[in-house]
Amino acid sequence: MKIAILGFGTVGSGVYDIIANGDTRMRVTAIFIRPTHPATMPEMTTDLDAILNDPTIDVIVETMGGLHPAHDYILQALQHDKHVVTANKAVVAKYLPEFTAVAAQHHVQFYFEATTGGGIPWIRNLERAARIDQIDTIEGIFNGTSNYILDQMQRAHLDFDPVLLAAKDMGYAEADPSADSDGEDVVNKLKISAALAYNMAPPRDVPTFGIRNVSKADIDFFASQHQVLRLIGKSKRDGDHYSMVVEPRLYSETALAANTFENFNLIRLHGQTIGDLQFYGQGAGKYPTANAIVQDLYDILENAPHLDRSFDQPLHFDANLNVTDYVLRADPMTFAMFNDRETEIVNDRLVIKQIPTGDMHKLMRGVLAIDADAFMAAIGDSELAAKDVLHQRDQEVIG
């Protein structure tokens, strides 16, 4: 099987390395690079048309990232009867139904294991579960970069900025890390997962709050309460309604999520007959992601089809499907926004009890308009909140 790689950055070069040192049935014969990139290998070319029109190339691996020109390149590859494998979660989250339909029209495969979970075989196993079960919950740590940052802030007692620099040095964070720190990377992965689980086109807007504003003082306070902070993506289905949210969440220090360290991911699904399934592995880095791409290449080589989805299930998005407790660190003048809620003050932080997720995120936008450095986090599962976090006796009830 002859392969062309579009883009030769961290992931693209990782794919090349694995193939060059692995199965002789696979061979990279072309590498598409931008005109500004020096051609340092004989396989490199700036001529995309030559790749698309080469009848000997079976599969195109897209590792360029971003929406454009990746969207056009993937469509062109499928329309030229090439299988496509990609690690580009942004373009897949937005155009998955379109790519799947075009691939079916041209009798080729469009695979994207590497978009979600890094080296974890998450997509493949989610598809397997969805063949039998109605999946009603997807949640977990989907972003290795943010997990590394939060883990190091707690265990090494560091602030956000130096840990972010270390993440860049280790290849976990991009030059522009905003998609990781602001939660957009998790949004894309959650959209892809929910689309497969529920067989529907995901919503355009998802309530999202990242970790950009978290401080060492926040982490230290949570640790004093025996809590660990993680950036979580969660989707829940209830009948013909479903929710999606990306936000920081506190867990008891004995929870599995709290003990998911470094750049590792921990992702869970719940199905009607299978119950809970959890998947753990490296979620960021050159070779974990490249490994997932090569796994998809093997599926194409060995004619192993993936789950066929039409993405046309008529479900309704409901941002308020989940109700939980939140802790807010902000200018105290913003606390008045929650006067109609049951609240408590703990160490100058406001705990808002049993508030719908969508409502909390809307109110948080108002808080940020007053205090741009404010931070919030959901408090575990709502039924655990009182015993796990709110155990201080000097709390002032203001609700």
Side-chain angles (χ1 to χ4, degrees), residues 125-308:
N125 283 290
L126 176 61
E127 289 179 331
R128 288 175 61 86
R131 290 189 304 186
I132 299 172
D133 267 339
Q134 178 172 298
I135 308 300
D136 57 39
T137 305
I138 297 166
E139 69 174 323
I141 300 166
F142 283 86
N143 182 271
T145 303
S146 63
N147 202 65
Y148 174 84
I149 291 171
L150 293 175
D151 177 49
Q152 289 299 300
M153 287 182 71
Q154 177 158 0
R155 293 200 294 155
H157 305 288
L158 297 171
D159 221 324
F160 184 91
D161 289 337
V163 179
L164 176 59
L165 288 175
K168 289 182 179 181
D169 291 341
M170 297 180 72
Y172 296 157
E174 301 291 340
D176 178 4
S178 58
D180 297 316
S181 60
D182 293 340
E184 287 304 315
D185 178 79
V186 181
V187 169
N188 289 327
K189 294 171 180 178
L190 190 61
K191 285 183 176 181
I192 293 167
S193 301
L196 289 172
Y198 310 149
N199 193 25
M200 56 87 192
R204 186 168 65 180
D205 298 316
V206 174
T208 305
F209 188 77
I211 62 169
R212 181 186 294 270
N213 285 359
V214 69
S215 67
K216 182 177 180 295
D218 293 325
I219 298 293
D220 290 345
F221 168 69
F222 300 145
S224 74
Q225 301 295 298
H226 308 287
Q227 298 291 306
V228 175
L229 188 71
R230 294 291 182 254
L231 182 62
I232 299 295
K234 182 173 182 178
S235 178
K236 180 179 178 181
R237 179 178 177 180
D238 185 1
D240 62 353
H241 286 70
Y242 73 100
S243 65
M244 297 173 69
V245 65
V246 174
E247 60 190 4
R249 182 171 287 267
L250 290 165
Y251 291 91
S252 166
E253 61 189 9
T254 59
L256 284 175
N259 290 278
T260 300
F261 304 128
E262 299 285 339
N263 68 318
F264 281 75
N265 285 184
L266 177 70
I267 313 175
R268 176 178 80 93
L269 68 82
H270 182 271
Q272 289 181 328
T273 63
I274 196 62
D276 274 326
L277 288 177
Q278 302 203 52
F279 300 86
Y280 172 84
Q282 289 195 69
K286 177 176 182 174
Y287 290 114
T289 306
N291 184 284
I293 288 176
V294 176
Q295 290 287 356
D296 276 346
L297 292 173
Y298 267 105
D299 283 349
I300 292 170
L301 180 66
E302 297 170 357
N303 195 28
H306 290 199
L307 182 67
D308 186 18

Side-chain angles (χ1 to χ4, degrees), residues 60 76 95 138 191 196 213-214 309 322 334:
I60 288 181
Q76 289 181 58
Y95 297 108
I138 297 166
K191 285 183 176 181
L196 289 172
N213 285 359
V214 69
R309 285 307 217 190
N322 293 308
T334 66

Side-chain angles (χ1 to χ4, degrees), residues 51-69:
I51 293 174
L52 295 173
N53 293 304
D54 185 344
T56 68
I57 291 177
D58 305 292
V59 187
I60 288 181
V61 173
E62 187 274 312
T63 63
M64 301 180 71
L67 292 177
H68 301 289

Side-chain angles (χ1 to χ4, degrees), residues 301-329:
L301 180 66
E302 297 170 357
N303 195 28
H306 290 199
L307 182 67
D308 186 18
R309 285 307 217 190
S310 55
F311 306 106
D312 58 359
Q313 189 75 11
L315 301 181
H316 306 286
F317 181 73
D318 182 358
N320 282 335
L321 195 60
N322 293 308
V323 178
T324 191
D325 297 353
Y326 285 84
V327 59
L328 170 67
R329 186 260 300 149

